[in-house]
Amino acid sequence: MRFALLLFLLSIVTPCVYTQPYIPGQSYFGTNNYTEYVAGNMPVILSAPHGGLLSPAAIPDRNCSGCSTVNDFNTQELGRALAGALHERTGCWPHLVINRLHRRKLDANRDLPDAADGNPVAGQAWADFHNFLGYAKNDVSLQFGKGFYVDIHGHGHSIQRLELGYLLYSDELRLPDDTLNTPVFTGYSSIRNLSENNLQSLTHAELLRGSQSLGELLADRGYPATPSQSDPAPDAGEDYFSGGYNTARYSSYNGGSIDGVQIECNRTGIRDSLSQVERFADTLAVALLDYLGRHYFGGLAASFCGISDAAQSGVSWTCDVSPNPFCRSFQIRHSDSTADWTAGVYNFYGELVQFVPVSAGISVQITPPPGGPVFVVLRRNGEIMAVKTLLSACR
Ligand SMILES: [Zn+2]
């Protein structure tokens, strides 16, 4: 626990100078450009395994028995739009991994034999796809200690709703909440870690289909989803995808503290046109940030990479939070008389403990409740300008 705490702190103390081999927001490619990785700096990992458009003749079509070769229309586009929407909302980039090969050539949501059907070129693309995802998972674990993975798909089922796959079958989702809260079911859930450790101590069932479940946060915003509070489980006989290879491999089902979900998107109203894709991507970004705030990071959820883009472009004001480390109290000061500034002070668990306006040229003294480090989020006209981590230590 102490080690995880230290790692989490280090990540926040130096949010913008952490050195990694990839620059957030930039694309990197695997062999033959069949795999694309857009590097990230926030605790969200996205993948689009079935949205590829490339069909090189050098790779024969997969014809393994029972293997699907049908693409998920507009899901690569949705992955890119979602990454862009998250960036627009936070100034940070999620990790995004795209399989650019058509599903006829590679299924990046299967184990290798079915994925590449024995072709070594497709097999290399499969390895690249999973190496990038493995890197992203490791990076998020090191930087943030926890995080959330979304595997993006599209379904052709008749009921136009989002199907959220937590690795629980539809007949299992129809079980009572108390049953779903037993270790048998939390033990193979893709949100196993979250069910054991979330900010409000919600149960597994509440996280799956309560008022603060991802499904309900989406349904509330106009995109019906199951499971959710309003649609707790698919009825018997209704089609439903419960999550696949990637969800199992990269979520806490497989251990660790990164949870995940497979989002199977219906077509009507979401994937028919690129304008629908953009609109849904923005809503999904807002819902995901809401979800991360409620269950993982509290008020820090919109400030993962420290400083917004606006703050990095040329400005004439200065701001200062000191001393660091502090003993009992610290001061906040800025020089900008053209805008309204506020400071939010958060404890280690991301809970807001103090919120104060800060006028230009006046030092505001803050005495947070004793114990542990605090995070100070400075906002200018509501927009995050800086996030400072202050260590508490008295000499
Ligand atoms: Zn799919």
Side-chain angles (χ1 to χ4, degrees):
M1 178 58 199
R2 276 182 174 272
F3 182 59
L5 186 140
L6 179 65
L7 288 174
F8 180 64
L9 273 182
L10 283 174
S11 70
I12 302 282
V13 170
T14 56
C16 289
V17 295
Y18 172 75
T19 51
Q20 59 170 5
Y22 302 109
I23 299 167
Q26 289 204 7
S27 285
Y28 299 86
F29 295 90
T31 311
N32 300 314
N33 292 342
Y34 291 157
T35 310
E36 180 174 349
Y37 167 55
V38 183
N41 57 355
M42 65 188 288
V44 174
I45 303 167
L46 313 174
S47 59
H50 290 161
L53 303 171
L54 303 177
S55 267
I59 303 176
D61 286 356
R62 297 163 60 242
N63 64 0
C64 37
S65 91
C67 292
S68 172
T69 58
V70 179
N71 246 18
D72 295 355
F73 179 68
N74 265 345
T75 52
Q76 176 181 167
E77 293 76 2
L78 176 56
R80 294 183 193 280
L82 177 56
L86 285 165
H87 179 249
E88 226 162 76
R89 296 267 172 187
T90 65
C92 316
W93 289 97
H95 299 261
L96 168 65
V97 182
I98 292 168
N99 167 30
R100 300 179 71 228
L101 284 172
H102 193 281
R103 200 173 179 185
R104 279 193 299 270
K105 308 296 181 181
L106 174 68
D107 186 334
N109 189 30
R110 296 288 186 276
D111 59 8
L112 180 58
D114 277 358
D117 202 13
N119 180 270
V121 179
Q124 181 60 51
W126 181 89
D128 290 343
F129 181 90
H130 291 288
N131 283 338
F132 280 131
L133 272 177
Y135 169 81
K137 182 172 180 176
N138 190 47
D139 186 72
V140 168
S141 294
L142 284 172
Q143 282 213 64
F144 299 97
K146 51 189 174 180
F148 201 71
Y149 166 65
V150 180
D151 198 34
I152 301 168
H153 293 261
H155 71 72
H157 300 156
S158 57
I159 300 179
Q160 298 302 302
R161 64 183 171 188
L162 299 164
E163 298 173 12
L164 306 188
Y166 298 95
L167 304 174
L168 298 162
Y169 295 122
S170 54
D171 57 339
E172 295 172 323
L173 287 172
R174 289 194 290 277
L175 294 168
D177 287 357
D178 286 350
T179 309
L180 289 176
N181 290 337
T182 60
V184 173
F185 293 96
T186 58
Y188 62 84
S189 167
S190 64
I191 53 169
R192 172 165 68 170
N193 163 72
L194 186 65
S195 74
E196 294 163 356
N197 183 8
N198 64 81
L199 289 182
Q200 301 175 73
S201 301
L202 300 182
T203 65
H204 185 220
E206 286 172 322
L207 292 164
L208 290 173
R209 57 186 177 205
S211 61
Q212 300 186 69
S213 63
L214 183 60
E216 192 58 29
L217 295 180
L218 285 160
D220 286 347
R221 291 173 169 89
Y223 291 96
T226 190
S228 66
Q229 188 173 47
S230 39
D231 189 356
D235 289 338
E238 290 178 351
D239 289 325
Y240 170 72
F241 286 125
S242 61
Y245 176 87
N246 291 343
T247 309
R249 182 164 171 176
Y250 297 105
S251 75
S252 56
Y253 164 84
N254 196 26
S257 53
I258 294 180
D259 304 288
V261 70
Q262 171 173 301
I263 297 189
E264 286 276 356
C265 302
N266 48 290
R267 182 144 173 171
T268 303
I270 291 183
R271 294 186 293 124
D272 271 336
S273 69
L274 289 178
S275 61
Q276 287 179 356
V277 166
E278 292 281 343
R279 194 167 61 102
F280 174 64
D282 189 56
T283 302
L284 180 53
V286 170
L288 276 174
L289 291 170
D290 189 357
Y291 187 79
L292 289 172
R294 289 166 188 263
H295 306 312
Y296 289 84
F297 296 99
L300 296 171
S303 49
F304 295 117
C305 56
I307 295 177
S308 74
D309 283 358
Q312 292 175 46
S313 58
V315 290
S316 55
W317 42 260
T318 58
C319 64
D320 177 57
V321 183
S322 63
N324 189 17
F326 70 97
C327 176
R328 283 185 285 281
S329 64
F330 57 89
Q331 293 189 340
I332 303 172
R333 192 180 172 88
H334 71 85
S335 65
D336 178 17
S337 56
T338 66
D340 293 328
W341 283 66
T342 60
V345 181
Y346 298 82
N347 66 15
F348 174 71
Y349 298 100
E351 296 159 345
L352 184 69
V353 295
Q354 215 164 332
F355 184 83
V356 290
V358 185
S359 302
I362 297 171
S363 291
V364 173
Q365 181 134 335
I366 304 278
T367 306
V374 296
F375 309 102
V376 179
V377 178
L378 291 174
R379 284 186 163 84
R380 180 182 187 269
N381 289 338
E383 186 182 4
I384 292 170
M385 289 293 109
V387 180
K388 307 272 187 188
T389 302
L390 300 187
L391 302 174
S392 167
C394 291
R395 270 191 271 269

